[in-house]
Amino acid sequence: PMAQQRFRWMDDPSLKMRLFTQAQAPRMGEGGDVWLDRLLTKIQPRLVVIDTLARFKRQADQKGYEAETDAMAEMAAVFSKHETSAVIIHHTRKGGQNDDPDNPFERMLGSTALAAVPDNLMVLESDGGKTVLHTRGRMVQQQRDIFDLRGHRFELNVEPGAILAGKA
């Protein structure tokens, strides 16, 4: 009921959107890989959004870079097999005193291995009253874009000085 309420504004048949809750989607390694493969075969979506990574990825038997990389690569292989794009939501941690304030990617929660597999990384944050999208990866140049939230839509802020939000 909570998920239905939260996404009710997207209730448009032309979107051809399907919503599955955590209770319906088993974790990778616990049947989630088979479930996801069957679902992608049946529905053939162009885009899958997973919210959140921590609730869906395989729980590593051992901690460390290799285990995290393998867990991410397992998910990437399923999406690649079906030629489906995926946006996987993950949380950042609170900033530490040794963090580079100009590098929000340092605040990605968990191992740096989480950044090793995806083609692109995006960090969305509130900065100086503006919404800032930081991007970097194999398919995009590193950049910092400023957006304004209007209703349920983000619109690129192209006003002079917008790029200085939170900096000046």
Side-chain angles (χ1 to χ4, degrees):
M2 186 174 79
Q4 289 172 339
Q5 177 65 27
R6 183 176 291 166
F7 293 101
R8 180 171 289 146
W9 67 273
M10 295 177 118
D11 192 16
D12 178 351
S14 69
L15 292 176
K16 298 180 184 175
M17 189 172 104
R18 306 262 177 103
L19 179 67
F20 299 93
T21 63
Q22 181 181 345
Q24 295 170 299
R27 182 183 287 275
M28 294 291 285
E30 297 173 6
D33 41 349
V34 174
W35 177 83
L36 182 59
D37 187 59
R38 286 181 183 157
L39 193 63
L40 295 179
T41 298
K42 179 180 177 184
I43 298 175
Q44 300 179 344
R46 287 189 245 159
L47 175 67
V48 172
V49 178
I50 295 178
D51 183 6
T52 66
L53 171 66
R55 300 283 185 187
F56 189 67
K57 77 175 182 71
R58 175 186 295 269
Q59 288 186 312
D61 294 333
Q62 70 278 13
K63 302 270 187 230
Y65 188 90
E66 292 81 15
E68 288 297 322
T69 301
D70 290 346
M72 291 297 295
E74 178 182 30
M75 290 175 32
V78 176
F79 293 121
S80 179
K81 173 184 172 184
H82 292 277
E83 298 179 355
T84 300
S85 296
V87 172
I88 301 175
I89 298 171
H90 190 50
H91 294 283
T92 56
R93 61 174 172 73
K94 293 180 181 178
Q97 65 185 25
N98 296 325
D99 287 348
D100 176 355
D102 294 324
N103 186 358
F105 300 98
E106 285 185 358
R107 292 192 309 272
M108 287 185 63
L109 188 60
S111 168
T112 56
L114 296 176
V117 176
D119 289 328
N120 302 297
L121 300 173
M122 296 182 279
V123 174
L124 187 65
E125 66 181 352
S126 179
D127 187 359
K130 295 288 184 182
T131 301
V132 181
L133 178 66
H134 301 271
T135 56
R136 79 172 190 201
R138 290 187 272 279
M139 304 174 96
V140 295
Q141 294 180 358
Q142 185 162 341
Q143 61 189 55
R144 181 177 184 267
D145 293 317
I146 311 299
F147 289 85
D148 293 321
L149 181 60
R150 295 201 171 101
H152 292 290
R153 293 181 45 180
F154 283 101
E155 294 181 12
L156 185 62
N157 184 326
V158 293
E159 295 174 12
I163 199 69
L164 297 175
K167 298 288 181 189

